[in-house]
């Protein structure tokens, strides 16, 4: 990839059936990149692939795979070796405290959030270095920067994505190559994420629009020198910067930290992973708004639990 001229460049995006991954796919297709779209739900993937091919004249190949399984990881890894851009976006959270989850839920979440991205980076990196071009985007979270999402392994799993990215990106081997890794440190963004994790929707004043986030991320990785850490929106840049540098005892104050296992959205949740993947697709919600923050009316009706 010359980073701006995508001739023949292929991007593999996980979690592309809806949410932020679908918007990242759109942003890359709009710039002429061919796509491999990975998620469990075949129907939304097929629909998105067909729509992006028709709209942008690129080739988009759906790959239905469960990345919490060895077979799913194998299938995606087999395609990652040829990718010029790898976007490790698929991820999920758990709204129950660690001691209350079933181990199988934990195992699947850690496989999806930790093992699968590692596996795909491991599969993609040698080919990228050999070809002398490549970009890797690992989707992390503000929850990775400090223990603000307490009581569950989600924050730890996202801290891994950030640590893996930084640890590889700062090596001499990568720094002196045309390959770059970026961690996307995301704040609350409108998607299916919160509902599927069984947690309350985020405060409107802090919620970003998914197309905005996707556009920022794609612009960042296509720069000649991509940042190692990309935080979309000024207010999250400030927040993530503060969280990363404030002493832990300050960060853990109730004002900043949130024990989601106490404030959990109490409606019945689909059991993570055991739930069938979606069959119906949905356009990503929201308009960009100022600084990517959604206008309040774009939010769902549910309020955060006290
Ligand atoms: N939304 C937020 O506020 C927020 C904040 C910080 C970080 N993030 C991170 O952003 C990333 C994208 O999340 P999102 O907000 O777009 O969530 P989302 O709307 O729930 O989308 C998740 C995507 O991952 C796919 N996926 C889930 N389980 C999978 C599995 N086992 N195998 C393969 N694909 C799987 C889903 O498709 P299928 O169900 O069809 O498989 C879907 O395409 C995640 O890594 C999340 O941790 C989100």
């Amino acid at each position: 990839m010359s980073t701006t001229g995508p001739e023949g460049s292929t991007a593999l995006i996980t979690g592309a059936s809806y949410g932020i991954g679908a918007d990242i796919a759109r942003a890359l297709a709009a710039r002429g990149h061919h796509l491999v779209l990975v998620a469990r739900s075949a129907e939304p993937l097929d629909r998105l692939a067909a729509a992006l091919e028709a709209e942008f004249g690129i080739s988009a190949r759906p790959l239905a795979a469960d990345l919490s399984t060895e077979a799913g990881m194998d299938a995606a890894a087999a395609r990652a070796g040829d990718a010029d851009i790898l976007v490790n976006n698929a991820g999920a959270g758990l709204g129950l405290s660690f001691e209350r989850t079933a181990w199988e839920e934990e195992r699947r979440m850690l496989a999806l959030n930790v093992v699968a991205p590692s596996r795909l980076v491991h599969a993609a990196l040698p080919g990228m270095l050999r070809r002398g071009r490549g970009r890797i985007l690992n989707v992390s979270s503000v929850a990775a920067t400090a223990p603000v999402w307490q009581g569950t392994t989600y924050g730890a799993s996202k801290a891994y994505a950030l640590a893996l990215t930084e640890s590889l990106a700062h090596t001499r081997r990568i720094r002196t190559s045309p390959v770059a890794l970026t961690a996307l440190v995301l704040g609350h963004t409108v998607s299916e994420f919160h509902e599927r994790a069984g947690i309350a929707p985020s405060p409107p004043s802090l919620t970003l629009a998914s197309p905005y986030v996707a556009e920022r991320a794609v612009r960042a990785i296509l720069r000649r020198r991509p940042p190692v850490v990309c935080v979309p929106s000024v207010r999250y840049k400030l927040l993530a910067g503060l969280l990363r540098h404030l002493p832990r005892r300050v960060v853990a104050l109730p004002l900043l930290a949130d024990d989601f296992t106490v404030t959990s959205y109490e409606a019945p949740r689909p059991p993570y992973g055991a739930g069938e993947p979606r069959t119906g697709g949905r356009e990503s919600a929201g308009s960009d708004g100022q600084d990517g923050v959604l206008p309040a009316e774009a939010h769902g009706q549910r309020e955060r639990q006290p």
Side-chain angles (χ1 to χ4, degrees):
M1 170 183 45
S2 86
T3 51
T4 44
E7 227 160 278
S9 156
T10 297
L12 185 147
I13 302 154
T14 69
S17 53
Y18 47 92
I20 297 159
D23 286 316
I24 291 178
R26 169 165 287 275
L28 285 168
R31 289 165 169 84
H33 296 272
H34 303 302
L35 305 174
V36 178
L37 306 173
V38 186
R40 291 168 303 176
S41 318
E43 197 189 312
L45 278 186
D46 289 346
R47 217 168 330 114
L48 181 65
L52 296 180
E53 282 188 340
E55 189 172 348
F56 300 111
I58 48 101
S59 131
R61 297 280 170 265
L63 174 63
D66 182 343
L67 293 172
S68 69
T69 67
E70 284 297 324
M73 287 185 219
D74 286 349
R79 308 293 292 275
D82 297 327
D84 302 296
I85 300 176
L86 167 65
V87 179
N88 274 316
N89 163 78
L94 282 174
L96 283 179
S97 55
F98 188 53
E99 75 282 2
R100 286 166 63 205
T101 53
W103 175 246
E104 182 54 17
E105 292 182 300
E106 293 288 346
R107 192 201 61 73
R108 285 191 198 204
M109 191 192 77
L110 294 173
L112 178 65
N113 292 4
V114 174
V115 183
S118 314
R119 176 82 196 280
L120 297 188
V121 171
H122 191 256
L125 206 44
M128 289 181 176
L129 288 168
R130 204 172 45 247
R131 295 190 295 276
R133 59 185 199 179
R135 295 287 184 264
I136 295 176
L137 181 70
N138 292 321
V139 179
S140 178
S141 164
V142 171
T145 59
V148 287
W149 181 314
Q150 297 170 352
T152 83
T153 45
Y154 176 75
S157 76
K158 289 293 159 182
Y160 178 84
L162 180 57
L164 174 72
T165 308
E166 290 186 306
S167 140
L168 293 176
H170 290 298
T171 57
R172 189 178 159 73
R173 176 87 176 110
I174 298 292
R175 275 192 291 110
T176 57
S177 82
V179 176
L181 291 94
T182 298
L184 181 63
V185 173
L186 273 186
H188 295 294
T189 305
V190 172
S191 70
E192 312 263 327
F193 180 82
H194 295 84
E195 191 175 345
R196 288 168 72 91
I199 57 176
S202 47
S205 58
L206 278 178
T207 302
L208 302 172
S210 169
Y212 166 86
V213 160
E215 184 61 28
R216 292 287 142 157
V218 166
R219 271 191 220 169
I221 62 168
L222 295 183
R223 278 191 217 152
R224 203 169 64 80
R225 287 186 179 279
V228 175
V229 176
C230 166
V231 189
S233 109
V234 174
R235 60 195 83 182
Y236 272 112
K237 266 195 187 72
L238 289 172
L239 184 62
L242 267 179
L243 289 174
R244 280 188 104 177
H245 296 109
L246 279 175
R248 283 293 195 257
R249 66 192 145 76
V250 176
V251 170
L253 291 174
L255 187 66
L256 283 174
D258 203 349
D259 183 344
F260 279 86
T261 62
V262 171
T263 60
S264 284
Y265 170 52
E266 291 298 342
R269 69 189 177 107
Y272 164 71
E276 289 301 308
R278 283 167 54 106
T279 49
R282 186 180 74 113
E283 294 293 323
S284 296
S287 68
D288 279 10
Q290 198 190 1
D291 191 28
V293 175
L294 285 176
E297 66 272 18
H299 278 266
Q301 299 306 306
R302 283 184 289 136
E303 292 297 326
R304 194 179 192 72
Q305 301 295 301

